[in-house]
Amino acid sequence: MTVWFTGLPCAGKTTLASALRDRLEASGVRAELLDGDELRSTITAGLGFSKEDRNENVRRVGWLAELLSRHGVVAICALVSPYRQARDDVSARHHGRFVEVHVATPLEVCAARDVKGLYAAQQRGDLSGLSGVDDPYEPPLDPEVVVGTDGRSVDEVIVDLLDYLHAL
Ligand SMILES: Nc1ncnc2c1ncn2[C@@H]1O[C@H](COP(=O)(O)OP(=O)(O)OP(=O)(O)O)[C@@H](O)[C@H]1O
Ligand SMILES: [Mg+2]
């Protein structure tokens, strides 16, 4: 299957996705992490942050995830993936083998974390087009899983996620 983490910048997607990958690998399940940021230097190099480019980014990562998942590797994707339709298109191509996880950390908490300084840069006027601030972020309407990360440890969230995945 594919496990797709969507959420605002700094919501915790990469952190949770890599923790999930580690847990699955440790229990003998083959899993691959497809992180939007990392892939922007390879298969999605050259794409920017317009709506079209963000959706193309999602489409390419989704294609790779579908390929991996079809061959028995759990594809774990971490991308802001701000547009609902693009995520839904990827989901549809998985024919049910798709778990959308909304990392629903509130904007104020994401902005306070500001791991990469993007929120501060936007505030200063050095950056524009930040999802959830001055660019759209469309939360999933019916995700398989919603996780809150505020006041919760990564381990707590992962335990809940593994419970969900094991019950499938
Ligand atoms: N329960 C939690 N789950 C995930 N991250 C958490 C949690 N609690 C605190 N954090 C912290 O929140 C930050 C999330 O950063 P991370 O890079 O994972 O976000 P992201 O969603 O991948 O952002 P981006 O879209 O910019 O790549 C990390 O510093 C992480 O340690
Ligand atoms: Mg990330």
Side-chain angles (χ1 to χ4, degrees):
M1 72 178 85
T2 289
V3 183
W4 188 282
F5 291 87
T6 175
L8 295 170
C10 283
K13 302 177 297 298
T14 298
T15 304
L16 293 172
S18 69
L20 179 63
R21 188 263 325 266
D22 292 349
R23 287 291 293 266
L24 291 176
E25 289 264 321
S27 60
V29 176
R30 286 200 299 164
E32 189 68 45
L33 175 61
L34 301 176
D35 191 83
D37 270 346
E38 277 181 30
L39 294 177
R40 278 182 177 276
S41 65
T42 56
I43 61 161
T44 58
L47 295 176
F49 295 89
S50 64
K51 179 175 183 180
E52 291 69 25
D53 280 8
R54 286 176 183 274
N55 284 347
E56 178 61 16
N57 188 35
V58 166
R59 199 184 68 78
R60 289 190 203 170
V61 176
W63 185 89
L64 194 51
E66 198 279 327
L67 189 70
L68 286 168
S69 64
R70 191 151 34 89
H71 290 280
V73 179
V74 179
I76 303 172
C77 305
L79 290 86
V80 175
S81 43
Y83 296 101
R84 194 174 290 136
Q85 185 65 53
R87 295 191 307 265
D88 288 350
D89 289 348
V90 171
S91 172
R93 280 195 291 273
H94 277 75
H95 305 290
R97 289 175 289 99
F98 188 84
V99 175
E100 186 176 32
V101 180
H102 181 202
V103 186
T105 310
L107 179 62
E108 316 77 71
V109 176
C110 294
R113 289 179 181 168
D114 207 10
V115 183
K116 300 176 199 156
L118 298 177
Y119 290 93
Q122 193 281 335
Q123 278 276 311
R124 288 196 307 271
D126 293 342
L127 177 151
S128 65
L130 187 61
S131 299
V133 181
D134 62 349
D135 215 49
Y137 178 75
E138 301 172 354
L141 296 177
D142 192 21
E144 279 72 24
V145 183
V146 180
V147 301
T149 70
D150 192 18
R152 303 196 69 211
S153 73
V154 174
D155 280 349
E156 284 173 318
V157 176
I158 293 295
V159 166
D160 286 355
L161 256 171
L162 286 170
D163 282 348
Y164 176 85
L165 295 175
H166 282 136
L168 288 179

